Amino acid sequence: MPRPLHAAVIGRKPGPLLDGGPGPGWWQQGRCWLGCDRRNLPVQWIGPVEVGVTRADMYGCVDCLSRLRSLVAEETAGRP
């Protein structure tokens, strides 16, 4: 079970970012794009998403990111 986020992680940056904007490990208040569609909770930037010619930043909450990590681990298990 994922551990709850403390308010102190909002805006936390683990290292320098190229332009000071969203990047890996960046947490902010927002909406989860990964399925639960909950709003106004800590979400982490996970990268850009493109649909046609439109591009946007994608965010996930701690619960959905945990589920995504599990799926990635399952899919990549046994790979060299």
Side-chain angles (χ1 to χ4, degrees), residues 27-49:
W27 290 94
Q28 65 184 45
Q29 284 298 115
R31 175 182 178 185
C32 180
W33 289 43
L34 292 178
C36 75
D37 199 31
R38 293 182 294 168
R39 298 166 190 252
N40 198 28
L41 73 159
V43 291
Q44 187 177 63
W45 181 85
I46 58 171
V49 61

Side-chain angles (χ1 to χ4, degrees), residues 24-73:
W26 179 271
W27 290 94
Q28 65 184 45
Q29 284 298 115
R31 175 182 178 185
C32 180
W33 289 43
L34 292 178
C36 75
D37 199 31
R38 293 182 294 168
R39 298 166 190 252
N40 198 28
L41 73 159
V43 291
Q44 187 177 63
W45 181 85
I46 58 171
V49 61
E50 293 182 18
V51 177
V53 297
T54 306
R55 184 177 179 164
D57 290 326
M58 189 173 208
Y59 298 87
C61 71
V62 69
D63 294 332
C64 288
L65 288 172
S66 178
R67 187 177 70 244
L68 182 61
R69 283 186 194 98
S70 294
L71 290 170
V72 170

